[in-house]
Amino acid sequence: TTEGIEVGAGESYGILENANLQDYSANDSVLINNGEIEYVNNSNFINNISTGSFSGAFQNNGTGTDDGVLNSLFLDNVAAQNSGGAILNTDELGGIDSSVFIGNSAKYNGGAISNGSSGNLGNLNNVTFIGNSTTDSNDGGAIFNNGGIIGEIVNSTFIGNTSARQGGAITNYVGTIDKISNTLFAGNKAESLGGAIYNNGDITNGIINSTFIGNTGSRGGAIYTFTDLTITSDNGTTTFFGNIYRNL
């Protein structure tokens, strides 16, 4: 069991692999503070609770990870006084691949992941988000992009995530997401706008070959956008079914 890892300025941790970071309470189980981890692989972050101004499990304020987070589980982590129930990124983070986020929550934005204004988060490929949430009238039940950059969100799943305000699954607020493709949004809920996605930024290459089923928002049961947004099918199908627009 590994817990309470802090990588300071100029330090390099190497590879964090086969780690079990569980029941850690105070700050983050992993805090990268101007240092670097090569990548995270096959690791579990379970039931960690941050009571201060940190994410629930993993916070990157430094160079971050070259190859990102791979094959890992983030379960029931809590940012009790901040954004990013599982991950808070404010710098370079190499992406997330084949990982699962279940039941994470944040008092502020990004029940699972919050990407800050200086954050550059790589591609999200084959990532599953189930039952993540925000409280205190905040945004992005699974992901909140606050003016930062996120690569492609592809081959991923968002089920049953909830936002106390906007973007039941994803809020893109004056940030950039390259594209969302081959992704399922089902049963997500926002108390206000955008049951699955709230967009007030740039989704550069649009939404492609994705499915929206049974999402709920007060306006935009599936998607609410303030900016131009392209939704297409490219050798596939984009489906909207049973999404609900109503006063909640």
Side-chain angles (χ1 to χ4, degrees), residues 104-191:
N104 303 285
S105 65
K107 179 177 182 179
Y108 299 129
N109 301 304
I113 299 172
S114 181
N115 190 48
S117 59
S118 57
N120 190 339
L121 174 60
N123 296 337
L124 277 62
N125 177 54
N126 190 31
V127 183
T128 299
F129 298 87
I130 300 174
N132 303 285
S133 62
T134 64
T135 61
D136 282 20
S137 298
N138 287 295
D139 298 349
I143 297 174
F144 182 73
N145 186 31
N146 186 22
I149 298 170
I150 298 177
E152 301 177 0
I153 299 174
V154 61
N155 299 325
S156 294
T157 302
F158 295 80
I159 298 175
N161 302 285
T162 59
S163 167
R165 192 169 63 168
Q166 297 165 162
I170 298 173
T171 290
N172 183 37
Y173 182 73
V174 298
T176 299
I177 297 173
D178 180 55
K179 69 178 179 182
I180 298 170
S181 66
N182 298 295
T183 292
L184 170 67
F185 296 85
N188 302 286
K189 178 180 176 182
E191 292 297 326

Side-chain angles (χ1 to χ4, degrees), residues 19-25 29 40 42-50 55-58 69 71-79 84-87 96 98-106 111-113 127-133 159 161:
N20 184 35
L21 297 106
Q22 185 168 350
D23 299 325
Y24 188 72
S25 61
S29 54
V40 178
N42 196 36
S43 294
N44 299 319
F45 299 78
I46 300 172
N47 198 39
N48 301 290
I49 301 173
S50 169
S55 70
F58 186 103
V69 177
N71 308 308
S72 293
L73 170 67
F74 294 81
L75 174 66
D76 292 338
N77 301 287
V78 178
I87 294 176
I96 302 172
S98 302
S99 295
V100 178
F101 294 78
I102 301 175
N104 303 285
S105 65
I113 299 172
V127 183
T128 299
F129 298 87
I130 300 174
N132 303 285
S133 62
I159 298 175
N161 302 285

